[in-house]
Structure formats: structure tokens, C-alpha cells
Amino acid sequence: MPNPAVSVIIPLYNKVAAVERSIGSLLSQSFSDFEVIVVDDGSTDGSAEVVERIQDDRIKFFRQENGGPSKARNTGVSHAAGDWVVFLDADDELLPGALEYFDKLIIENPIISFFCCPYFVDN
């Protein structure tokens, strides 16, 4: 199986109330050439068990002792197979079509190596 175009890295620490919805926002994307790498950073609230129940071959799950979100992101990147990396926090969601939009930016801007895409905060 060829490597995915995109690796989505999710550092996870005690986000039991949000992580399933966050991953669901990924799995429902129209663009499907991606993997999801969730790195549990020592959660104690059942977050890891929520992720383990989600059945999708695109999800790779790793556990580590608590070292903070940067260490979890770095662990995720070390396991990433994609040509591009997207960071998504465990309590954030992607809008429908977000990865397709990202892929379009990559195709239209082949010399650029970093993108910061639009976002909004809904309280």
C-alpha cells in the first residue's frame, strides 16, 4: 500500500469529551488519502480507550508517558508516513472539505513547504 499524502497528528491528553468528535471530523472528510496518528500523552480520563474503540485502518495509535503536547507531536511526526503533516488538537475539528482544500493548496503551490490554513473559534 502506498504512503498516504497527508499524516494528521493528534496529541491526546485527557480529552475524553472531545476526541471522538475530533477524529470523526477527519474520518468524514471527502479527501481520503490520509492517515491519523494519535499519540496519547499519558491520559488518565479514558481518552485512550475512546480512540481504541474507533475502527478505521487509517488510525495509528501510540501511547507514551506524559511529556507535553510538543513531545506528543514529535512522536507523531516520527511515525508519519505522509508527504505532508497536519496538526490537529484532540479538542478541535476540521470542517468538511478541509483536507481537500489543503490538497488543492499543495497542488497549486508546489514550491511552498508550509501552510497555515483559515480557522475560526466557536465558543
Side-chain angles (χ1 to χ4, degrees):
M1 182 171 197
N3 287 346
V6 176
S7 295
V8 181
I9 312 294
I10 302 177
L12 174 63
Y13 181 74
N14 289 347
K15 296 293 182 187
V16 70
V19 68
E20 187 171 20
R21 192 166 165 171
S22 181
I23 293 173
S25 78
L26 283 168
L27 300 180
S28 65
Q29 292 289 306
S30 54
F31 180 86
S32 62
D33 190 12
F34 67 90
E35 66 179 354
V36 181
I37 300 174
V38 181
V39 181
D40 178 57
D41 193 40
S43 293
T44 59
D45 69 345
S47 297
E49 291 75 17
V50 169
V51 175
E52 288 176 326
R53 286 193 302 265
I54 301 171
Q55 298 297 310
D56 193 294
D57 291 339
R58 294 173 289 184
I59 299 174
K60 296 179 182 177
F61 184 63
F62 301 93
R63 291 181 187 229
Q64 66 182 30
E65 289 185 25
N66 184 261
S70 294
K71 182 177 180 186
R73 286 185 187 100
N74 287 336
T75 297
V77 169
S78 73
H79 293 285
D83 295 325
W84 286 86
V85 172
V86 171
F87 293 112
L88 182 69
D89 287 342
D91 59 354
D92 292 339
E93 298 174 45
L94 291 182
L95 292 173
L99 290 181
E100 189 172 359
Y101 173 79
F102 181 67
D103 185 57
K104 182 179 176 189
L105 287 175
I106 293 167
I107 292 167
E108 292 176 352
N109 302 280
I111 63 168
I112 296 177
S113 58
F114 178 88
F115 295 97
C116 182
C117 295
Y119 64 93
F120 72 92
V121 177
D122 183 19
N123 290 324

